[in-house]
């Protein structure tokens, strides 16, 4: 199993896995291979993607990350957008290897911490992350402003 940076050619397979991950939580993913290519490999890349390749071109999992900054810590960090390992590849330490790859990349850019969101009902994920040293921040609550509200905010200001 090789952990490596994604290539533009991987993006369609990654988008399919994004769909599998979203479906686990009853959500329809809006990501396509073209969107991933633009975000990760465009003129101004806004995300990084690491993949686990089981064999030539067969992807077993992926991790999407982006840079973060904490004013409270006074430090740069890595925000994990998604971590997914296909069911047949779970329990092979692929998830922790993908996290470590994102941490290495972040460290090269000065990152000193890693942060992520976790679906409230994902108990297996919570156990996985806690097993690897992550802790819950009880003082934080994540909020989202979806596109209609986002546009409304812009237009009414």
């Amino acid at each position: 199993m090789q952990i490596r940076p994604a290539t533009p050619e991987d993006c369609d397979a990654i988008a399919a896995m994004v769909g599998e991950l979203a479906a686990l939580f009853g959500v329809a993913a809006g990501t396509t291979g073209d969107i991933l290519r633009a975000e990760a490999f465009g003129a101004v890349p806004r995300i990084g993607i690491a993949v686990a390749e089981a064999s030539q071109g067969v992807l077993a999992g992926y991790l999407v990350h982006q840079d973060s900054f904490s004013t409270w810590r006074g430090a740069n960090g890595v925000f994990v957008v998604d971590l997914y390992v296909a069911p047949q590849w779970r329990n092979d330490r692929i998830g922790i290897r993908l996290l470590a790859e994102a941490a290495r990349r972040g460290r090269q850019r000065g990152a000193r911490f890693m942060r992520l969101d976790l679906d409230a009902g994902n108990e297996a994920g919570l156990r996985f992350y806690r097993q690897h040293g992550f802790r819950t921040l009880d003082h934080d609550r994540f909020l989202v402003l979806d596109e209609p509200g986002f546009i409304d905010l812009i237009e009414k200001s």
Side-chain angles (χ1 to χ4, degrees):
M1 185 70 58
Q2 177 188 8
I3 305 298
R4 61 169 176 79
T7 66
E9 294 75 29
D10 295 322
C11 289
D12 291 327
I14 295 166
M17 287 189 288
V18 169
E20 293 170 19
L21 176 60
L24 291 173
F25 300 99
V27 178
T31 296
T32 65
D34 288 338
I35 290 170
L36 291 173
R37 273 185 285 281
E39 294 298 315
F41 303 102
V44 180
R46 289 180 276 284
I47 61 172
I49 308 172
V51 295
E53 184 178 17
S55 61
Q56 189 84 21
V58 176
L59 300 185
Y62 74 94
L63 184 145
V64 175
H65 61 90
Q66 56 192 166
D67 293 337
S68 174
F69 181 79
S70 170
T71 56
W72 288 15
R73 288 182 175 89
N76 292 309
V78 175
F79 181 76
V80 176
V81 177
D82 278 347
L83 170 60
Y84 178 75
V85 177
Q88 67 270 31
W89 299 103
R90 293 184 186 151
N91 300 316
D92 285 344
R93 298 191 45 80
I94 295 169
I96 193 62
R97 291 178 60 203
L98 286 165
L99 282 168
E101 177 63 17
R104 273 190 287 281
R105 290 180 184 188
R107 184 78 172 176
Q108 291 171 349
R109 293 185 312 279
R112 296 187 358 227
F113 68 95
M114 182 174 273
R115 187 171 183 161
L116 55 88
D117 297 344
L118 186 64
D119 185 88
N122 188 350
E123 292 299 322
L126 183 60
R127 284 190 303 276
F128 168 79
Y129 290 115
R130 283 189 174 157
Q131 175 186 354
H132 296 292
F134 285 78
R135 62 185 175 86
T136 303
L137 295 177
D138 294 327
H139 58 79
D140 282 357
R141 180 174 291 159
F142 291 97
L143 306 173
V144 65
L145 184 61
D146 289 316
E147 189 173 10
F150 182 78
I151 300 300
D152 194 49
L153 175 67
I154 294 166
E155 290 175 354
K156 290 186 176 175
S157 300

